Amino acid sequence: MARGDEPLLSQGRPSSDHSDERGIEEEDALLTGQKTPQQRYYGWAFWREVGLFVWAAIATALVILFAVLYSHQQQTSKPTPSGGGWKDGRPTGKRNLIFMVSDGMGPTSLSLTRSYRQAATGLPIDDVLVLDDHLIGSSRTRSTSSLITDSAAGATAFSCGQKSYNGAISVLPNRDPCGTVLEAAKRAGYMTGLVVTTRITDATPACFAAHVNHREEEDRIAEQEVGEHPLGRVLDLMLGGGRCHFVPNTTDGSCRKDDRDVVDLAKKNGFSYVSDRKGFDGLNFGTNVKLPLLGLFAETDIPYEVDRRNMNDIYPSLDEMARTALAALKSATEDSDKGFFLMIEGSRIDHAGHGNDPVAQVHEVLAYDAAFASVLDFLGEDDVEGVLVGTSDHETGGLATARQLHDTYPEYHWFPTVLANATRSAENLAYQLRDHIAGKHISPLDTGITSPPRNRPRSSAPSDEEAPPSPLTSSSDADDLKSYIRTHLLASGLGVQDPSPQEINRLAHAATDPWPASYILADIISRRAQVGWTTHGHSAVDVNIYASDPDQASPLRGNRENTDVGRFLAEYLDLGNLVEEVTRDLLVEGEKEKGKGWMGRRLEDEVVGKVGDHYEGDFKVRRREEGCGCVGEHVH
């Protein structure tokens, strides 16, 4: 066979460098009848140009990406701190410490408020509170005298780092004063401050700057806070309520037992003084402050936030006071190698728990959350190292986001939108009821209203079954009162459109006493929201610990004793032995003051000692309480 006649696929046909590829292409052409396209093969110069183009494109993209990231970092990153931090397990350099106390706020307070906020404003379920993103641990709260602490013993654990008995204001069970972190910080050169929404003489703020045997000594606490103190003046700034303990009993609005003018004493000790909204606004959010500063914006407690927002021209908010204090203390420490220590308390979360008022509760927690956010913003923008630590002294009310209303098996519901319909706290509405009756000159005899029986504590309201049939319809005044309760208090104030006759009767019978009326109003809305409460007092539940930076507050991670919080505060400020030194000085000065009673009335051993952890029988306990005349009183 001639060479040119050999089959294309002959085994003897010579191969080429691309014979395999070409063979496949030729075979496809024969089978399909389609001409095989010619392939182009590119040389080194072509691929070099492609590579250079790709490299240039990638490099350009990276330059743009790094520019965007750098710009974002410049806009959002915290300035480089001028000092502070930790080295070899100890803090170093200049620093600020903000300690926030959510008095009476337990874990369920957060659940209640979070769900309320989501339901009331249409937020998704993953939209949480600022606090939720900063949870690092929990705290055990017992005191030396009970498994259930009060605010005084709880705050003593924070201020002194030691346990004490219920009622103690930085005094130990052996009746010795204990030096506080604030007093030691002042001695170390830090500036110091307190911001609260209750009385500045109340248990929590008092424990940082005063020493008395029992929290009831608020007149004496006021004197110590302005400098009549064994250590002299230890506070640079105070903002809150409680003016009645600073003005003489010859003055309207005083609650002092004597005629001492503590405001005048404060001025003699160098304090500037503001007492109203106009004076507060003049501080210009801390840029126009002369320290030391005393600001008292209410005779007793600043109203609940749900009420205060309707009186914003009279009372500043917790957030406004916190931001003012932060700016003022920052400015005052600008040229110092020390920073400041500031305690901020959301005080009235506790009062809402005592009143079993879920409306007041959610608004107080939201106000605290807003202040917490402002402190975080301050720390993020400040060029000085700082940390925020927050916790509660205890839980109040035994709050539950569930309530069994009937004997039948309960439904698994609670209704936060019910709370969104309320515009006032139960406390505020109760005082409106009292004022309405006083203004109409209605007496209990005129309306059939009777005071609670003498053997029932003031904190106890009659049940629906106990309330006697009301003869309110027998007079025009009674008709007016019923109408006022139904339309103004319940419909307008609480958003309750379906009151029962029994509920109106209960309010009518409690009308001469604002505390029972407030309890009844709170119960009316709690039942409809299916919010449960187990007590008008405190509970022993563990409470949350929060921090701006979990690494800076790492000793507080996990479950801790409340005294661990107090010890951390002193360690972060690097106070060394100053707390013990202050304690020794207080003991020395205390000996000089012996007989003068600088810490107030000495308490009996049974009050200071460990009591209350063993069952004694309800009857015995009530007899003892009735004997001291303290049944039904609140111990916050």
Side-chain angles (χ1 to χ4, degrees):
M1 179 181 293
R3 181 177 179 83
D5 295 332
E6 290 179 355
L8 288 171
L9 301 179
S10 170
Q11 291 182 355
R13 188 176 181 86
S15 63
S16 69
D17 291 342
H18 305 290
S19 61
D20 289 342
E21 292 86 345
R22 290 172 61 185
I24 292 171
E25 292 168 356
E26 290 168 355
E27 184 177 356
D28 288 343
L30 289 170
L31 293 172
T32 63
Q34 301 293 324
K35 185 178 179 179
T36 304
Q38 294 291 320
Q39 271 194 329
R40 293 185 62 188
Y41 296 96
Y42 299 98
W44 163 247
F46 173 81
W47 290 113
R48 183 171 64 86
E49 290 178 8
V50 171
L52 288 171
F53 175 80
V54 172
W55 180 88
I58 293 173
T60 301
L62 288 174
V63 168
I64 294 172
L65 177 63
F66 288 138
V68 170
L69 291 175
Y70 177 78
S71 176
H72 176 74
Q73 184 182 28
Q74 290 296 102
Q75 294 177 24
T76 61
S77 64
K78 178 179 178 180
T80 302
S82 62
W86 296 78
K87 184 178 181 181
D88 300 326
R90 296 183 64 81
T92 62
K94 183 177 180 178
R95 74 210 70 140
N96 300 320
L97 173 57
I98 300 98
F99 179 49
M100 294 189 70
V101 179
S102 44
D103 198 322
M105 187 179 80
T108 310
S109 300
L110 276 298
S111 300
L112 182 88
T113 305
R114 188 187 310 115
S115 295
Y116 163 80
R117 179 171 170 268
Q118 291 168 355
T121 57
L123 295 171
I125 61 173
D126 60 350
D127 192 290
V128 297
L129 301 172
V130 175
L131 287 162
D132 291 321
D133 290 328
H134 295 274
L135 176 66
I136 65 167
S138 60
S139 167
R140 306 185 293 273
T141 62
R142 68 164 301 161
S143 69
T144 61
S145 60
S146 177
L147 287 167
I148 300 178
T149 189
D150 79 328
S151 292
T156 296
F158 300 148
S159 64
C160 294
Q162 299 188 65
K163 296 277 189 181
S164 195
Y165 58 91
N166 286 359
I169 301 296
S170 293
V171 173
L172 301 178
N174 66 359
R175 299 177 179 79
D176 285 344
C178 53
T180 75
V181 61
L182 184 145
E183 292 166 337
K186 185 62 179 174
R187 179 165 293 189
Y190 290 89
M191 300 292 279
T192 62
L194 302 172
V195 174
V196 301
T197 53
T198 184
R199 305 172 309 285
I200 200 73
T201 54
D202 203 10
T204 302
C207 280
F208 287 88
H211 304 269
V212 295
N213 290 314
H214 199 273
R215 57 183 299 165
E216 292 176 349
E217 301 266 5
E218 291 192 51
D219 290 356
R220 193 178 304 273
I221 290 168
E223 296 159 9
Q224 292 188 23
E225 286 178 335
V226 301
E228 196 168 89
H229 185 290
L231 304 177
R233 180 179 64 80
V234 297
L235 279 165
D236 297 297
L237 178 146
M238 288 181 277
L239 300 176
R243 189 169 55 244
C244 71
H245 289 288
F246 289 78
V247 295
N249 62 6
T250 55
T251 305
D252 288 342
S254 173
C255 57
R256 286 190 65 87
K257 297 175 181 177
D258 59 32
D259 60 358
R260 291 203 70 184
D261 189 338
V262 181
V263 170
D264 185 60
L265 175 62
K267 291 177 179 177
K268 289 178 180 176
N269 286 337
F271 279 90
S272 55
Y273 175 62
V274 290
S275 61
D276 54 23
R277 181 76 207 210
K278 182 179 179 181
F280 176 81
D281 290 342
L283 302 176
N284 199 27
F285 280 102
T287 63
N288 187 35
V289 170
K290 178 181 177 296
L291 298 179
L293 169 66
L294 173 64
L296 303 173
F297 307 110
E299 285 186 5
T300 55
D301 306 318
I302 292 174
Y304 286 125
E305 180 61 21
V306 67
D307 305 317
R308 189 212 64 81
R309 63 186 182 177
N310 300 306
M311 298 178 276
N312 191 52
D313 59 331
I314 302 175
Y315 304 103
S317 68
L318 177 65
D319 182 52
E320 290 175 308
M321 291 191 291
R323 285 189 285 148
T324 297
L326 289 167
L329 293 173
K330 172 182 170 60
S331 177
T333 56
E334 204 74 54
D335 299 323
S336 171
D337 61 350
K338 298 290 186 182
F340 61 80
F341 171 74
L342 174 64
M343 193 284 293
I344 302 171
E345 184 188 34
S347 318
R348 301 212 66 195
I349 302 171
D350 173 64
H351 293 188
H354 280 294
N356 290 182
D357 186 346
V359 175
Q361 176 94 172
V362 295
H363 287 281
E364 288 303 301
V365 174
L366 287 173
Y368 179 80
D369 193 61
F372 193 95
S374 289
V375 175
L376 291 176
D377 289 344
F378 172 85
L379 291 172
E381 297 167 2
D382 195 22
D383 59 357
V384 175
E385 189 72 39
V387 71
L388 158 63
V389 171
T391 190
S392 304
D393 45 2
H394 53 75
E395 191 274 348
T396 304
L399 174 63
T401 47
R403 183 161 183 161
Q404 184 164 347
L405 299 176
H406 310 288
D407 292 337
T408 55
Y409 194 79
E411 296 180 351
Y412 294 164
H413 292 297
W414 91 270
F415 305 109
T417 52
V418 170
L419 308 183
N421 296 326
T423 60
R424 297 288 192 277
S425 70
E427 177 186 88
N428 180 273
L429 294 173
Y431 282 112
Q432 288 189 45
L433 176 60
R434 180 200 63 183
D435 293 344
H436 175 80
I437 292 172
K440 290 288 186 178
H441 305 291
I442 304 170
S443 71
L445 182 62
D446 295 332
T447 61
I449 301 170
T450 57
S451 298
R454 292 179 62 85
N455 61 351
R456 180 185 290 124
R458 294 178 72 243
S459 61
S460 174
S463 67
D464 288 351
E465 291 75 20
E466 287 179 302
S470 174
L472 292 175
T473 55
S474 62
S475 72
S476 59
D477 281 342
D479 289 339
D480 173 80
L481 182 59
K482 286 179 63 177
S483 175
Y484 181 83
I485 290 171
R486 182 185 298 105
T487 60
H488 184 78
L489 300 185
L490 298 180
S492 178
L494 289 186
V496 171
Q497 308 295 335
D498 61 344
S500 69
Q502 291 85 359
E503 287 171 331
I504 293 176
N505 284 345
R506 288 177 65 189
L507 284 168
H509 282 81
T512 54
D513 190 333
W515 271 118
S518 70
Y519 284 4
I520 297 167
L521 288 158
D523 183 64
I524 287 171
I525 196 164
S526 291
R527 291 175 67 86
R528 283 161 175 77
Q530 289 189 205
V531 172
W533 306 88
T534 63
T535 177
H536 282 290
H538 299 172
S539 76
V541 70
D542 292 353
V543 294
N544 293 343
I545 300 175
Y546 302 92
S548 56
D549 185 338
D551 294 329
Q552 290 277 53
S554 60
L556 299 179
R557 284 173 168 160
N559 184 257
R560 302 292 178 184
E561 279 292 339
N562 53 7
T563 49
D564 292 334
V565 176
R567 284 191 283 269
F568 170 81
L569 301 180
E571 289 170 5
Y572 183 80
L573 294 176
D574 196 21
L575 298 179
N577 295 322
L578 281 178
V579 174
E580 290 78 11
E581 181 183 303
V582 167
T583 299
R584 288 194 296 270
D585 288 351
L586 287 169
L587 290 170
V588 170
E589 292 301 318
E591 284 299 314
K592 294 179 183 177
E593 295 288 328
K594 217 164 195 176
K596 298 180 182 178
W598 76 279
M599 292 195 303
R601 178 174 58 89
R602 182 181 175 87
L603 300 180
E604 300 298 325
D605 290 342
E606 65 178 21
V607 177
V608 175
K610 185 177 179 180
V611 297
D613 291 352
H614 302 284
Y615 179 69
E616 300 180 51
D618 186 63
F619 177 73
K620 292 180 182 178
V621 172
R622 285 193 175 278
R623 280 195 67 180
R624 184 171 67 241
E625 288 176 343
E626 288 170 2
C628 73
C630 54
V631 175
E633 295 178 0
H634 287 150
V635 179
H636 302 308

